[in-house]
Amino acid sequence: MTPKLVADLEPPYYTAVFTSVRPDAPEGYAETATDMQERVAEIPGFLGYEAARTPGGIGITVAYFRDLESLDTWRLDTAHQAAKAHGRKHWYDSYSVHIGKVERSYSFERA
């Protein structure tokens, strides 16, 4: 199966780029990640996400939102806040979050 990228979004929209360092398979992480994916998908204005992880433990997740209000809804979600607190205590060695406004976007896909 070929991974599918988020593409053809009409700017402007916003990104939340979450870059982290953590062990490959910490206990409880997969279940929480699945729950968070389901929760964020329910937020009006959520457009999708892409994620990648290196064998060395560096991960990058880019989430796409139509506007800052939808991104703030996710940031303030109580279950998301609890997952972040648990992650800081148990899973992540470090992480950073970068919020950006996309003003131009294009993509390519081989036919």
Side-chain angles (χ1 to χ4, degrees):
M1 179 173 87
T2 302
K4 188 73 174 155
L5 300 176
V6 175
D8 300 324
L9 300 177
E10 184 66 34
Y13 55 90
Y14 290 84
T15 59
V17 181
F18 177 75
T19 306
S20 65
V21 177
R22 69 164 173 79
D24 281 339
E27 185 177 335
Y29 183 86
E31 297 81 5
T32 300
T34 298
D35 183 45
M36 293 299 103
Q37 290 166 7
E38 292 169 358
R39 289 184 73 84
V40 72
E42 295 175 1
I43 294 174
F46 173 72
L47 303 173
Y49 77 96
E50 298 159 331
R53 180 160 296 280
T54 69
I58 296 172
I60 300 173
T61 299
V62 182
Y64 302 91
F65 294 87
R66 176 52 51 206
D67 49 41
L68 287 175
E69 292 77 19
S70 57
L71 199 155
D72 280 343
T73 298
W74 178 236
R75 181 178 60 84
L76 298 172
D77 180 88
T78 56
H80 183 216
Q81 288 182 343
K84 288 191 294 188
H86 186 81
R88 284 190 298 271
K89 187 172 183 179
H90 299 286
W91 295 327
Y92 297 107
D93 294 334
S94 62
Y95 69 77
S96 61
V97 178
H98 307 276
I99 306 301
K101 181 178 182 181
V102 177
E103 296 183 359
R104 184 172 44 153
S105 177
Y106 59 91
S107 59
F108 163 82
E109 186 172 338
R110 187 172 311 283

